[in-house]
């Protein structure tokens, strides 16, 4: 079991701009951690530094507390599966998968056994003799995974493992990665720009913007306790109402709202509530305000409503109701919008 810790990592390619900036994080052993962020935020750069394929400009990387900076990639026991899976085109599947063991000088017969084992693990038994060009994208991805796992690394680094796959293959690969990780208990760090993928696969998520760590924790934190408006928006947050916190209420242009469990200091904050947590009432009640239905969108499993508050000119509030909501609510109808106190979250403004 290997814990990976990053200490004040910095990386600059040109000696001027920091692509990774003062990045410190302890990645727990034996579970999947996702590095999540928009394109260009430095995810692949981070992964390459952990793999030993890139040197940090400053800072340290340690496996179980021991610095690995002086250990070259091939001895580091961290194997990276690349974004574009990079199989050797002229080698068969068996030769690709067995590559790491041949480099170590292991015997041919032993390699063949391990290759078959690995191909069974990634659900490609009997594919030994094929060439990469005779495989689908999803199959190539799985061969790349088998090639990484055969050397029994302590740390598995996956760069966008699902990005080149269509929806059906994605689900399959997702289940495969989860199954293999559970079976081998290997410390897995995966890079993705897709929050849904991170939520489904990872025990913890590290959210990154412009090379800086924004928030680290279990997926539920990013929905219920985001640390900034930007993180909240990345996870589908849409409702933000500025106001003033006065003890356990928020005073806003829409009215006053009782809050529970927001241990923020008094003063200016941004009230946020997820669209699926906003309730619609028939009559006025505490923590509610009158509003008009602006627009409705039926999305099959649910209905999205945009609501214009009547008490103040603000951004429309978005609400997700069940699918039947499309029939229940009419455009221009007046409703009472309720923010349940325990569903309100405050962000520092
Ligand atoms: N070899 C390089 N030389 C110079 N700049 C680079 C190099 N590799 C990456 N960069 C730059 O560093 C930044 C981070 O790149 P990186 O590949 O780590 O991003 P990423 O988060 O993996 O993005 P994506 O989701 O698009 O793969 C980008 O601005 C990129 O242009
Ligand atoms: Mg990348």
């Amino acid at each position: 079991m290997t814990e990976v810790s990053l200490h004040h990592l910095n990386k600059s390619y040109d000696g001027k701009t920091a692509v990774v900036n003062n990045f410190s994080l302890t990645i727990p052993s034996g579970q999947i951690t996702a590095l999540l962020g928009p394109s260009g935020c430095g995810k692949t750069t981070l992964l390459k530094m952990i793999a030993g394929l890139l040197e940090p400009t400053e800072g340290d990387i340690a496996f179980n507390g021991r610095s690995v900076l002086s250990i070259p990639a091939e001895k580091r026991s961290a194997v990276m599966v690349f974004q574009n899976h990079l199989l050797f085109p002229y080698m068969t599947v068996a030769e690709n998968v067995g590559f790491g063991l041949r480099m170590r000088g292991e015997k041919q017969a032993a390699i063949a056994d391990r290759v078959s084992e690995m191909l069974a693990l990634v659900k490609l038994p009997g594919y030994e003799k094929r060439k990469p060009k005779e495989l689908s994208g999803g199959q190539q991805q799985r061969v790349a995974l088998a090639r990484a796992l055969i050397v029994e690394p302590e740390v598995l680094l996956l760069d966008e493992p699902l990005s080149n796959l269509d929806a059906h293959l994605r689900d399959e690969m997702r289940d495969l990665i989860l199954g293999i990780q559970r079976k081998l208990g290997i410390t897995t760090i995966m890079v993705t720009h897709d929050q849904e993928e991170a939520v489904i696969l990872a025990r913890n998520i590290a959210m990154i913007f412009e090379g800086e760590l924004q928030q680290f924790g279990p997926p539920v934190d990013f929905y219920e306790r985001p640390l900034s408006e930007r993180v909240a928006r990345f996870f589908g947050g849409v409702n933000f109402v500025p106001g003033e916190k006065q003890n356990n209420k928020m005073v806003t242009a829409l009215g006053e709202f009782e809050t529970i469990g927001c241990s923020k200091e008094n003063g200016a904050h941004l009230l946020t509530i997820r669209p699926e947590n906003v309730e619609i009432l028939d009559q006025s009640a505490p923590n509610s305000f009158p509003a008009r239905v602006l627009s409705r969108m039926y999305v099959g499993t649910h209905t999205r409503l945009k609501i214009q508050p009547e008490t103040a000119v603000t951004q429309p509030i978005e609400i997700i109701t069940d699918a039947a909501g499309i029939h229940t609510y009419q455009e221009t109808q007046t409703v009472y919008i309720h923010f349940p106190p325990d569903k309100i979250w405050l962000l520092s403004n």
Side-chain angles (χ1 to χ4, degrees), residues 43-44 83 159-160 191:
K43 305 181 296 294
T44 299
Q83 217 159 343
D159 198 354
E160 304 270 5
V191 154

Side-chain angles (χ1 to χ4, degrees), residues 56 61 68 95 121 137 142 176 193 245 254 263 273 308 333:
I61 300 170
V68 293
E95 286 163 347
L121 188 67
R142 286 186 272 159
L176 188 76
H193 59 266
K245 180 175 189 284
L254 299 180
S263 57
I273 181 163
Q308 183 60 58
Q333 180 183 348

Side-chain angles (χ1 to χ4, degrees), residues 5-71:
S5 46
L6 314 176
H7 301 281
H8 303 287
L9 273 191
N10 279 291
K11 179 67 191 176
S12 172
Y13 288 102
D14 60 5
K16 289 195 293 259
T17 33
V19 166
V20 170
N21 196 3
N22 196 22
F23 200 104
S24 292
L25 177 66
T26 298
I27 296 167
S29 71
Q31 44 177 263
I32 304 183
T33 298
L35 305 180
L36 173 69
S39 183
C41 75
K43 305 181 296 294
T44 299
T45 302
L46 273 164
L47 219 54
K48 282 185 178 165
M49 289 196 285
I50 298 169
L53 303 169
L54 257 185
E55 239 181 274
T57 310
E58 276 175 78
D60 198 8
I61 300 170
F63 288 4
N64 288 335
R66 283 213 180 139
S67 176
V68 293
L69 283 191
S70 57
I71 303 176

Side-chain angles (χ1 to χ4, degrees), residues 26-315:
T26 298
I27 296 167
S29 71
Q31 44 177 263
I32 304 183
T33 298
L35 305 180
L36 173 69
S39 183
C41 75
K43 305 181 296 294
T44 299
T45 302
L46 273 164
L47 219 54
K48 282 185 178 165
M49 289 196 285
I50 298 169
L53 303 169
L54 257 185
E55 239 181 274
T57 310
E58 276 175 78
D60 198 8
I61 300 170
F63 288 4
N64 288 335
R66 283 213 180 139
S67 176
V68 293
L69 283 191
S70 57
I71 303 176
E74 65 277 10
K75 299 229 168 82
R76 209 175 264 198
S77 204
V79 175
M80 182 157 166
V81 179
F82 289 89
Q83 217 159 343
N84 40 6
H85 41 84
L86 294 176
L87 296 177
F88 303 117
Y90 50 88
M91 289 186 194
T92 62
V93 166
E95 286 163 347
N96 265 286
V97 175
F99 183 78
L101 298 186
R102 277 205 305 288
M103 288 296 105
R104 287 182 183 172
E106 295 198 14
K107 290 209 173 70
Q108 204 55 46
I111 295 175
D113 286 349
R114 286 285 290 153
V115 166
S116 302
E117 230 176 275
M118 286 302 121
L119 286 177
L121 188 67
V122 299
K123 308 215 159 58
L124 285 176
Y127 277 68
E128 280 87 345
K129 293 207 166 69
R130 299 252 193 132
K131 288 277 178 63
K133 67 171 190 299
E134 296 163 340
L135 300 174
S136 72
Q139 291 167 337
Q140 290 181 33
Q141 204 102 339
R142 286 186 272 159
V143 172
L145 189 60
R147 185 176 62 177
L149 289 170
I150 202 166
V151 296
E152 298 180 335
E154 289 169 30
V155 181
L156 178 64
L157 305 166
L158 303 174
D159 198 354
E160 304 270 5
L162 312 179
S163 67
N164 296 322
L165 308 176
D166 64 32
H168 168 69
L169 283 175
R170 256 167 192 262
D171 289 351
E172 229 178 73
M173 188 69 181
R174 207 183 254 165
D175 291 346
L176 188 76
I177 291 172
L178 277 173
I180 289 176
Q181 198 282 329
R182 279 201 197 113
K183 193 165 171 185
L184 306 180
I186 186 173
T187 304
T188 304
I189 307 172
M190 61 165 284
V191 154
T192 177
H193 59 266
D194 181 339
Q195 42 101 358
E196 192 185 300
E197 206 170 290
V199 167
I200 291 174
L201 281 168
R203 185 86 67 87
N204 286 291
I205 298 174
M207 174 94 238
I208 306 164
F209 288 131
E210 285 111 29
E212 288 184 22
L213 181 64
Q214 305 291 314
Q215 183 166 349
F216 178 73
V220 64
D221 280 8
F222 291 81
Y223 290 97
E224 294 181 2
R225 290 173 287 279
L227 291 181
S228 68
E229 181 181 349
R230 208 170 165 198
V231 171
R233 284 192 186 280
F234 202 89
F235 279 78
V238 280
N239 299 320
F240 300 95
V241 185
E244 176 93 9
K245 180 175 189 284
Q246 295 174 5
N247 303 320
N248 46 10
K249 68 177 187 208
M250 261 295 271
V251 182
T252 77
L254 299 180
E256 291 184 10
F257 299 93
E258 189 202 339
T259 64
I260 294 176
C262 297
S263 57
K264 298 261 173 163
E265 284 174 17
N266 284 342
H269 284 92
L270 212 48
L271 177 158
T272 185
I273 181 163
R274 294 197 59 87
E276 58 271 26
N277 289 335
V278 179
E279 293 174 354
I280 305 178
L281 308 176
D282 298 333
Q283 52 190 25
S284 183
N287 268 39
S288 77
F289 55 90
R292 227 167 253 280
V293 178
L294 268 185
S295 65
R296 308 170 299 162
M297 191 197 286
Y298 176 67
V299 198
T301 50
H302 59 267
T303 297
R304 278 192 96 102
L305 301 172
K306 273 196 183 167
I307 305 280
Q308 183 60 58
E310 287 184 346
T311 39
V313 181
T314 60
Q315 289 285 329

